[in-house]
Amino acid sequence: MCAVLITGGAGYIGSHVNKMLNARGVETVVLDSLVTGHADFLRWGRFVKGDLRDPSALERAFAGPRIHAVLHFASFIAVGESVADPNKYYHNNVAATLNLLDAMVRHEVPGLVFSSSASVYGEPEQELLDEAHPMRPLSPYARSKAMVEQMLADYHRAHGLASCRLRYFNAAGADPDGELGERHEPETHLIPLVLHTALGLRSHISIFGTDYPTPDGTCVRDYIHVHDLAQAHVLALDWLDRGETRAFNLGNGNGHSVREVVDAAREVTGRDIPVQEAARRPGDSPVLVASSKRARTELGWRPAHGDLESIIRSAWDWHRKDCRAPVRS
Ligand code: NAD
Ligand code: UDP
């Protein structure tokens, strides 16, 4: 019997993928230190508590059922923090991944699906970013993702390790059953912060930069439902059987400005959401919108929850419940 190892499976995106794989009868092992993850998201599969930087934790994760693929979500994720503390990002996102890759080679695991990011592209040269666009990351976080992508190409050449490098655009939304959702502490992402403001947990939402070369001066992003991202991982696991390494964008191809997100959230929640204009956040790209043609044609991916309002509605259903919960781990 073979299993899939999920690093970071107690986090936002990894927990949704863990749930989806278990629903399809796939055996999973979650390796997570819980540094930013949540014990109450661990309802499926076997759990190994440990840090990827600790080789003995990796050995414990590989000690159970034979692992035939790894889904690698574990990393730190805040762009602004990475600018202030690059050491934290290079250790956790790059050095820890090197430990993981070496353990995979030792245990003869043939393939890995990697959580990369649209931020690897930096400032776009064209309206819709495809995978051929050069990687010019603007922050240590984004550089850590680009570095791992390069390491994966090298491990493919040297060891035949297959990899599917999934470049997520802006993950948002929550589990349609309401069991999981976005909970980062501290939260830095726009949609949950806007919804926390709607709930009265914050006085206002700051708009980081109003002088970008975009129609309303605020940054434009491509928001993608976490359930659609999870579907792409299921497809990526099958794709690994080809033994190749390849990058795939995952987005809807629709750009929404920060102001449009706030307006859509006002519409969905029916609440007042005060805004304050603020300085640009270091490391931000003005516009990041995906062409996901490759994922559609080569993985057979069909995102089903594309419009911004339904993404925000599913997040709103989750946050209303989660922010009221008395005990959160
Ligand atoms: P998250 O913080 O919710 O989850 C990360 C998980 O990894 C947490 O459970 C944390 O405890 C665990 N972890 C971190 N470092 C670890 C280590 N050294 N050892 C063991 N466990 C460790 O983040 P998320 O939003 O679910 O993001 C998952 C992945 O997707 C990340 O790699 C992130 O860079 C990538 N990504 C996310 C987004 C987004 O919009 N959230 C966009 C692009 C890419
Ligand atoms: N943003 C903002 N105010 C906030 C948080 C985010 O204006 O409180 C902006 C941010 O500058 C970016 C967009 O919203 O342009 C999306 O940011 P997020 O952190 O959600 O995702 P990122 O694009 O950095 O992955």
Side-chain angles (χ1 to χ4, degrees):
M1 194 64 178
C2 283
V4 171
L5 175 64
I6 305 180
T7 77
Y12 169 44
I13 304 170
S15 62
H16 284 79
V17 176
N18 187 30
K19 177 180 173 179
M20 188 176 282
L21 287 174
N22 277 273
R24 288 164 190 241
V26 177
E27 193 179 347
T28 61
V29 177
V30 169
L31 173 62
D32 200 300
S33 63
L34 299 183
V35 60
T36 60
H38 308 284
D40 62 316
F41 286 3
L42 288 166
R43 297 188 216 164
W44 304 273
R46 174 176 156 240
F47 175 49
V48 175
K49 185 171 183 201
D51 194 301
L52 286 169
R53 287 166 291 185
D54 170 9
S56 73
L58 281 163
E59 289 312 310
R60 278 186 285 122
F62 283 104
R66 184 163 177 75
I67 302 293
H68 73 90
V70 174
L71 295 168
H72 180 33
F73 297 94
S75 92
F76 291 140
I77 65 164
V79 171
E81 182 187 54
S82 80
V83 175
D85 190 357
N87 175 287
K88 179 172 174 178
Y89 279 71
Y90 291 124
H91 269 293
N92 201 49
N93 296 3
V94 182
T97 302
L98 203 52
N99 281 350
L100 172 67
L101 298 185
D102 289 335
M104 288 180 67
V105 171
R106 263 196 319 278
H107 290 273
E108 299 178 348
V109 182
L112 171 138
V113 179
F114 176 56
S115 301
S116 189
S117 159
S119 63
V120 296
Y121 293 117
E123 289 221 19
E125 288 172 358
Q126 67 233 35
E127 209 162 290
L128 279 186
L129 288 161
D130 63 22
E131 294 83 353
H133 188 284
M135 290 205 274
R136 295 199 197 93
L138 297 175
S139 68
Y141 165 75
R143 268 187 283 283
S144 77
K145 294 290 172 184
M147 283 176 191
V148 170
E149 287 212 24
Q150 285 156 352
M151 280 157 48
L152 288 172
D154 290 337
Y155 272 65
H156 180 252
R157 262 188 297 274
H159 303 291
L161 181 76
S163 53
C164 198
R165 295 168 271 134
L166 299 180
R167 296 178 181 160
Y168 314 157
F169 282 62
N170 287 63
D175 172 35
D177 304 331
E179 291 187 291
L180 299 165
E182 185 163 12
R183 194 198 294 153
H184 296 117
E185 286 161 13
E187 187 54 77
T188 60
H189 292 109
L190 180 65
I191 290 180
L193 289 176
V194 166
L195 297 178
H196 292 170
T197 311
L199 284 166
L201 300 171
R202 304 167 55 87
S203 60
H204 65 274
I205 181 82
S206 298
I207 298 187
F208 296 147
T210 53
D211 58 349
Y212 283 101
T214 59
D216 68 16
T218 67
C219 286
V220 170
R221 293 289 183 273
D222 183 346
Y223 295 89
I224 174 81
H225 199 292
V226 67
H227 199 252
D228 288 332
L229 281 185
Q231 295 277 7
H233 289 75
V234 174
L235 297 166
L237 281 174
D238 284 340
W239 184 92
L240 287 177
D241 291 342
R242 296 181 183 205
E244 298 168 17
T245 179
R246 195 138 168 86
F248 295 93
N249 286 345
L250 297 177
N252 280 308
N254 302 316
H256 296 285
S257 73
V258 175
R259 289 193 202 280
E260 283 172 349
V261 169
V262 175
D263 286 343
R266 287 181 177 134
E267 192 68 33
V268 166
T269 64
R271 309 264 178 113
D272 185 29
I273 303 177
V275 301
Q276 248 177 42
E277 296 187 359
R280 289 183 178 197
R281 186 176 66 175
D284 267 343
S285 305
V287 181
L288 288 171
V289 182
S291 159
S292 300
K293 194 168 157 211
R294 182 185 285 178
R296 287 169 180 272
T297 54
E298 296 183 29
L299 296 179
W301 184 55
R302 299 278 176 277
H305 310 277
D307 71 291
L308 184 63
E309 291 215 347
S310 47
I311 292 173
I312 293 179
R313 190 170 302 284
S314 86
W316 175 236
D317 291 343
W318 159 259
H319 283 289
R320 268 194 301 185
K321 195 177 67 166
D322 194 49
C323 294
R324 276 204 308 267
V327 180
R328 305 194 336 178
S329 45

